[in-house]
């Protein structure tokens, strides 16, 4: 990928950038949880995808905060050794 | 036995989940070993903050230094003492130092033209750069790549934490 970039700087940056950006935007679109608006998914604009990405990242951050709060409360009230062993076992099953 | 059958997961996402979960539990364990059991209200807030830092740190250390966002997270966590102290100083002596560093960086890469903006909407790009750690100085293509990777790991980490909370609350 670095070779492609150095070659593109000599030819013209904008041409290669458009293709790469279209690929990456479609990849982002697949990762973000699908909403109802994705009926005509070819025509979803890059700005819409970026907007959804931003909101999705913000919601993920908020969830991490919330979950870490709950986890800290729960950790306080349980004995870690027995619980951890049970969890690791159940994660592998 | 179902445990031995599941040792080789065909789904790569579950392999990632197991790695993240293992690392997160390790970090949590060292966290628990250190702290004294206090039941203050201030301690609760501090403990949840430590759990959050443990989550981000374990997520970033699973990836290692391969990605810009993981490097940025690890750097921020390692230097958060220094950063907290510098925040009080930066309000007094902010702009001259920042301009000096910015000019030094420009002189090192004269060929690199970063201001070419293939996005029609630079407002969104700025927002994205603020949300993804370590994404302030990447070119726009790399930015999207980093964002996709960051979202993947972050979503898996959230799933791991959600499973842990469910498990702990039923024990």
């Amino acid at each position: 990928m670095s070779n492609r970039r150095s070659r593109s700087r000599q030819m013209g940056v904008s041409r290669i950038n458009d293709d790469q950006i279209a690929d990456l935007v479609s990849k982002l679109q697949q990762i973000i949880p699908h909403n109802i608006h994705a009926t005509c998914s070819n025509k979803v604009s890059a700005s819409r995808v970026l907007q959804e990405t931003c909101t999705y990242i913000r919601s993920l951050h908020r969830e991490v905060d919330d979950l870490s709060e709950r986890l800290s409360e729960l950790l306080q009230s349980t004995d870690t050794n027995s619980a951890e062993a049970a969890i690791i076992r159940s994660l592998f099953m | 036995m179902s445990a031995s059958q599941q040792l080789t997961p065909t789904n790569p996402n579950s392999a990632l989940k197991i790695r993240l979960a293992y690392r997160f539990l390790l970090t949590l364990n060292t966290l628990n070993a250190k702290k004294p059991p206090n039941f203050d209200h201030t301690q609760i807030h501090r403990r949840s903050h430590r759990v959050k830092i443990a989550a981000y740190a374990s997520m970033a250390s699973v990836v290692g230094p391969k990605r810009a966002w993981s490097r940025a997270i690890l750097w921020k966590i390692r230097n958060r003492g220094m950063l907290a102290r510098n925040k009080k100083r930066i309000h007094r002596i902010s702009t001259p130092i920042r301009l000096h560093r910015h000019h030094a960086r420009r002189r090192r890469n004269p060929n690199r033209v970063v201001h070419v903006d293939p996005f029609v909407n630079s407002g969104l790009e700025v927002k994205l750069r603020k949300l993804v750690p370590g994404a302030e100085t990447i070119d726009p293509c790399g930015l999207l790549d980093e964002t996709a990777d960051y979202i993947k790991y972050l979503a898996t980490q959230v799933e791991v934490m959600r499973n842990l909370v469910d498990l702990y609350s039923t024990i």
Side-chain angles (χ1 to χ4, degrees):
Chain A
M1 191 146 175
S2 58
N3 288 338
R4 204 194 301 165
R5 254 189 232 142
S6 57
R7 249 182 277 139
S8 74
R9 254 187 231 129
Q10 294 159 16
M11 287 196 289
V13 188
S14 53
R15 226 182 303 147
I16 309 289
N17 270 346
D18 279 346
D19 290 340
Q20 278 184 348
I21 284 179
D23 284 341
L24 290 170
V25 163
S26 63
K27 187 166 58 154
L28 271 180
Q29 204 180 322
Q30 289 166 14
I31 291 183
I32 295 173
H34 297 292
N35 289 336
I36 311 171
H37 76 86
T39 47
C40 49
S41 53
N42 300 331
K43 292 188 200 162
V44 172
S45 65
S47 64
R48 187 66 187 271
V49 171
L50 284 181
Q51 184 72 44
E52 303 242 345
T53 319
C54 288
T55 43
Y56 185 48
I57 293 182
R58 268 190 225 118
S59 71
L60 281 178
H61 284 170
R62 253 182 283 132
E63 263 204 81
V64 168
D65 290 347
D66 181 46
L67 283 172
S68 60
E69 232 184 277
R70 287 168 65 186
L71 252 186
S72 65
E73 286 171 25
L74 285 171
L75 276 176
Q76 210 176 306
S77 51
T78 60
D79 178 22
T80 47
N81 287 331
S82 59
E84 250 177 39
I87 284 169
I88 292 178
R89 246 180 281 127
S90 58
L91 274 175
F92 278 94
M93 279 194 262
Chain B
M1 211 168 144
S2 62
S4 57
Q5 281 171 7
Q6 291 287 327
L7 271 177
T8 56
T10 49
N11 187 10
N13 197 27
S14 62
L16 177 64
K17 254 171 88 169
I18 289 175
R19 274 161 56 204
L20 279 177
Y22 181 65
R23 200 54 182 259
F24 185 44
L25 284 173
L26 271 183
T27 328
L28 274 185
N29 204 14
T30 52
L31 241 182
N32 276 343
K34 266 192 270 180
K35 66 167 174 58
N38 284 342
F39 293 101
D40 271 349
H41 286 289
T42 54
Q43 290 287 333
I44 290 175
H45 176 71
R46 212 174 294 168
R47 201 172 300 132
S48 72
H49 185 66
R50 268 193 228 132
V51 170
K52 186 169 76 163
I53 288 184
Y56 281 112
S58 68
M59 181 173 81
S61 47
V62 164
V63 173
K66 284 185 270 184
R67 284 283 179 176
W69 63 264
S70 63
R71 288 195 295 265
I73 287 181
L74 288 174
W75 186 87
K76 244 190 271 179
I77 288 179
R78 282 197 195 126
N79 299 333
R80 66 190 195 271
M82 178 195 82
L83 282 174
R85 266 176 272 135
N86 283 345
K87 245 188 206 174
K88 298 174 191 167
R89 280 185 223 152
I90 266 183
H91 284 302
R92 277 182 257 151
I93 322 173
S94 62
T95 35
I97 294 181
R98 272 199 205 136
L99 278 176
H100 176 72
R101 278 207 201 119
H102 192 60
H103 282 304
R105 204 179 290 152
R106 278 252 173 92
R107 249 180 262 132
R108 249 187 287 149
N109 306 331
N111 301 326
R112 193 153 181 208
V113 182
V114 184
H115 66 262
V116 171
D117 194 12
F119 296 114
V120 183
N121 35 16
S122 54
L124 279 179
E125 190 183 338
V126 165
K127 271 193 224 169
L128 200 55
R129 283 179 193 274
K130 277 193 210 152
L131 282 173
V132 177
E136 309 245 324
T137 54
I138 306 180
D139 61 308
C141 289
L143 174 66
L144 289 181
D145 196 30
E146 290 285 325
T147 316
D149 197 60
Y150 180 58
I151 287 182
K152 183 175 85 167
Y153 277 91
L154 191 56
T156 324
Q157 177 74 28
V158 163
E159 244 189 282
V160 162
M161 287 174 77
R162 215 180 284 145
N163 288 345
L164 276 176
V165 165
D166 288 343
L167 282 165
Y168 266 124
S169 55
T170 56
I171 281 178

